[in-house]
Amino acid sequence: MLLPTVLLLGYFVYGLIAWTFNTSLTDKHNARPVPTKHVGFENYVNLFGEDRFLNSLKNLGVLTVAFIVGTLIFGLLWALLLEKGVTGEGLFRSIFLFPMAISMIASGVVWGWLLNPSQGDDARGLNRLFDILHLNFLENPWWTAGNRWTTMASIALPAVWQLSGYIMALFLAGFRGIPAELREAARVDGASEFKLYRYVLFPQLSPIALSALIILGHMSLKLFDLIYAITGPNQFRTEVPSVYMWNTLLRSDMAKAAAIAIVLLAVVAVLVIPYVAYTVRQENEE
């Protein structure tokens, strides 16, 4: 019964990973049907000696931090508000989760308009809204100017908006899974509301927070369509490895694109493998 699944996974996942790794070790840098030869790790050495690739890695690091921190903060905040009990909770849950139903491309197109860098009389999107509200000091060029942190934080903003509802659902499920007896016992012992959350409830959410961190981390590494839709494929300022890989594929440089893909896979593995090991160890202890 498991054989079809094993065969499909073996070919379409691990088989293609092996094919990509093998391609990254060759000199296939164009679309011409010429014989290729293996050059070892030359493509990787060239990548890490290339300013453009190093810049994309730095952009990715900043994007990942901004995305994870922003999403965790808003997700936890919304979960806390709903966990306290509000009228129309089902409606608010739907509103917070709705962005997840929108594709990244559609979201990127809309946010590309909202983050229009034009200011003053030519302002569009959010800058136009700030102008109407006489909050002109909030107008800014978003992702087109400024340092790396402000640029990539602007790119992370749409992703935070889209994924915060998902993190809210995780934390809210965690809150609802905590036995009421723990809350009652803490209150009987005289714990304030702050101490109740700080010492009783939040520690119970540690596994969920770890899961959310891993999920968001690997999602940020694969962000492509959102960035592509907002800034286009040729923006050096906002380029991350996935976008660089796409641009490399358009030039039919298969070996270099495969090397970028394997580097991304290695970074994802660094995040996911410790989490899997931790989960397996916890299950064995239980």
Side-chain angles (χ1 to χ4, degrees), residues 36-50:
T36 60
K37 64 178 181 179
H38 284 77
V39 294
F41 290 93
E42 180 181 311
N43 293 316
Y44 295 93
V45 174
N46 293 338
L47 265 183
F48 284 97
E50 189 180 276

Side-chain angles (χ1 to χ4, degrees), residues 183-193 195-196:
R183 300 171 185 258
E184 295 172 2
R187 290 193 174 101
V188 168
D189 288 340
S192 64
E193 200 69 9
K195 290 183 177 180
L196 171 65

Side-chain angles (χ1 to χ4, degrees), residues 13-81:
V13 179
Y14 300 105
L16 293 182
I17 289 176
W19 178 84
T20 301
F21 180 66
N22 181 69
T23 303
S24 72
L25 301 178
T26 67
D27 62 349
K28 186 173 179 57
H29 298 295
N30 53 64
R32 292 197 301 266
V34 296
T36 60
K37 64 178 181 179
H38 284 77
V39 294
F41 290 93
E42 180 181 311
N43 293 316
Y44 295 93
V45 174
N46 293 338
L47 265 183
F48 284 97
E50 189 180 276
D51 290 339
R52 182 175 179 180
F53 181 69
L54 294 178
N55 176 75
S56 71
L57 284 178
K58 293 175 183 177
N59 287 344
L60 178 62
V62 175
L63 175 66
T64 299
V65 172
F67 173 56
I68 290 177
V69 172
T71 307
L72 286 177
I73 289 176
F74 282 103
L76 180 58
L77 177 62
W78 293 344
L80 281 171
L81 293 175

Side-chain angles (χ1 to χ4, degrees), residues 83-193:
E83 194 270 337
K84 296 296 291 182
V86 294
T87 303
E89 179 185 323
L91 174 62
F92 284 108
R93 279 206 310 266
S94 301
I95 292 173
F96 292 151
L97 286 171
F98 174 73
M100 283 194 63
I102 304 174
S103 72
M104 283 287 189
I105 286 291
S107 177
V109 170
V110 173
W111 276 94
W113 177 80
L114 289 174
L115 299 180
N116 189 299
S118 301
Q119 300 180 52
D121 294 336
D122 298 325
R124 298 290 185 273
L126 290 178
N127 283 344
R128 179 61 178 165
L129 176 63
F130 295 148
D131 182 60
I132 293 173
L133 297 176
H134 302 291
L135 299 174
N136 303 77
F137 64 93
L138 292 178
E139 291 185 39
N140 65 83
W142 302 108
W143 52 270
T144 60
N147 59 39
R148 192 189 306 275
W149 279 96
T150 56
T151 297
M152 298 313 295
S154 298
I155 296 298
L157 183 61
V160 171
W161 170 80
Q162 194 153 9
L163 271 300
S164 292
Y166 174 64
I167 301 303
M168 178 239 12
L170 291 180
F171 280 125
L172 186 59
F175 278 125
R176 296 289 163 80
I178 298 175
E181 291 79 5
L182 287 178
R183 300 171 185 258
E184 295 172 2
R187 290 193 174 101
V188 168
D189 288 340
S192 64
E193 200 69 9

Side-chain angles (χ1 to χ4, degrees), residues 104-105 107-108 155 158-159 162 223-231:
M104 283 287 189
I105 286 291
S107 177
I155 296 298
Q162 194 153 9
L223 275 181
F224 165 77
D225 37 9
L226 189 67
I227 299 173
Y228 192 95
I230 293 176
T231 69

